[in-house]
Each structure stands twice: as structure tokens, then as C-alpha cells.
Amino acid sequence: KILDRSFALQILVDEAQESFISFLAQLYSQTDLPEELILPAGLDVSLLEETLNLKIHQPERGQQRKLIELAQTNALKQLTQKAEMFKLKESAQEEALLSLKDKLNLESVSTIELIDNSHIQGAFASSAAVVFKDGQASKKDYRLYNVSGGANDVANMEETIYRRYLRKIKEQQALPDLLLVDGGYTQI
């Protein structure tokens, strides 16, 4: 029984049974061991029993076998639902990017950058650049800039854009397909 936990889905590279046994070994090395561990029949659990120092039951019939079948059915349903949600989200994202591209009459919107300014009553002025590639946040490309314009958002935006894109041009880096700035007409 795994309570109050969620695990990220990952592409399975190794053999399924080995990955499952490895997952259990890692899980129970970080948490308290259960009194009893019930696993499907047919798995080689000898190494896991030795590692965890725990008796593992693998019922082939009876109530415990039905519990395993129920858990497997529920896991398959959950996996199927997550896969369907992922496909829907990916499809909606592609549609949104295509719509944005068409409405703005752009050739591509594969790279979108957003810049916003911030300050606290004119002090601690900063700007941030956020980057999306193919509709996904590219956090490795995010940047934070300390700017010298104080409460002057226009000057801060100008400084940030100048510093960011002059560097990209000098280093012959690709410019974004779309740049969004937070602010009014004067900042454009």
C-alpha cells in the first residue's frame, strides 16, 4: 500500500520485472518496511527478499491473488488515463501554437520569450526573461537581470532587451520567433 505518494511516469528502458524489483528496493530503502509484501506470482524476488530482509508472499490463488489482480487492473486504468490526458494536453498545445502562429501571421512560434520587470518602490529593480520552446517551458534558458532603472519600467525594459539580444546577436544565437513584454504601449 503506497499512501500519499505520486510517482512520475518514465520511459521504461530496462526489462520490466527488473525495473519493478529495483523500484521496490529503492522505495523500501527510504521508508519503513511493511509487515507483509504481496507481489504477483512469477517474479524472481529472492534478491529483493535478501535485500529487504523481508518475507514476500506470491499467492497463486485466493483472496490475496484477487487483491493483486485488482491492483494491476487499477494501475492499468490509471496508466491509460494518464496517457490519454497527455495526448489531449499535447494536442491542445499544438492547436494553440498553430492558432497563435496563424493569428499573428508568423512563420513559426517554436521559441517564445517573455520579459517582465519588477521593483519594490523603485528599489531592487530586476527583469526576468522566460523562454518556451515548442510550447514547453525551457527553464535552463530563463534569465534574471539586475537593472539600473529603478522605478522606470521603460528604462528597465530597454536595458533588459538591449543586454539580452545584443548578446544573442554577438554570439550568433537564434533570436526568438515571438517576444512578449509585460507592460503598456510605452514599453514596446
Side-chain angles (χ1 to χ4, degrees), residues 55-68:
K55 178 67 177 148
I56 297 173
H57 300 283
Q58 293 180 289
E60 295 185 16
R61 60 190 180 301
Q63 188 64 29
Q64 289 183 338
R65 173 69 183 162
K66 289 179 182 176
L67 285 173
I68 288 174

Side-chain angles (χ1 to χ4, degrees), residues 111-118 126-133 137-147 156-157 159-165 168 176 178-182:
T111 304
I112 301 172
E113 295 192 5
L114 302 94
I115 298 177
D116 190 15
N117 299 323
S118 178
S126 63
S127 292
V130 180
V131 181
F132 286 81
K133 292 185 176 177
S138 180
K139 293 187 179 184
K140 69 180 182 71
D141 295 314
Y142 286 15
R143 295 293 180 270
L144 181 64
Y145 298 90
N146 291 320
V147 289
N156 291 337
M157 186 63 70
E159 180 182 340
T160 304
I161 290 173
Y162 179 80
R163 287 170 53 189
R164 182 166 182 81
Y165 297 108
K168 283 183 174 275
L178 178 62
L179 172 63
L180 302 173
V181 296
D182 184 22

